Amino acid sequence: HNARKSCQGAVLSVLSSTMARRSSSERIIIEVEERLNNEIEQLKKDIWRVGEPDKPSVEFGKLFDDDDVQQNYEGLAATLKAAKKRGVVTYKSPMLLKGAHDKVVVNLVDKSPIKMGNLDGDTKCGKIGKAIE
């Protein structure tokens, strides 16, 4: 836990100095992009967690109704649409609405299993933390 805090502190320090040099509109764009990237990474984990244990797919309604999913996303359908545009997921519907599209299957494009230990978040700093060390 302490190692995680020190990693977060180091990352925040680097981000703070970088952000101070940018305009407020650039900062907003970067913050939104980072939030979306984080949501897409979490989405991958949630599809594996909520869906079938042996394949990276889940029905939209099942994903939408999951308690953790409801707490993690500002707009699940919008996150899914962004992930679809980026080639992270596929589904056969132009839009996803709760109720009308509950049976639409959302598939991950990358079918490589995610390590089970990473489903609830990474315990190490990752690439940014290693670059700072």
Side-chain angles (χ1 to χ4, degrees), residues 12 18-19 31 38 48 63 76 92 104 107 127:
L12 288 175
T18 303
M19 296 294 271
E31 288 170 11
N38 290 337
W48 275 104
L63 187 64
L76 177 61
K92 295 180 179 180
V104 172
N107 301 289
K127 292 178 186 175

Side-chain angles (χ1 to χ4, degrees), residues 93-108:
S93 180
M95 66 170 64
L96 294 170
L97 299 173
K98 176 65 180 139
H101 300 104
D102 284 358
K103 297 294 182 190
V104 172
V105 177
V106 177
N107 301 289
L108 279 177

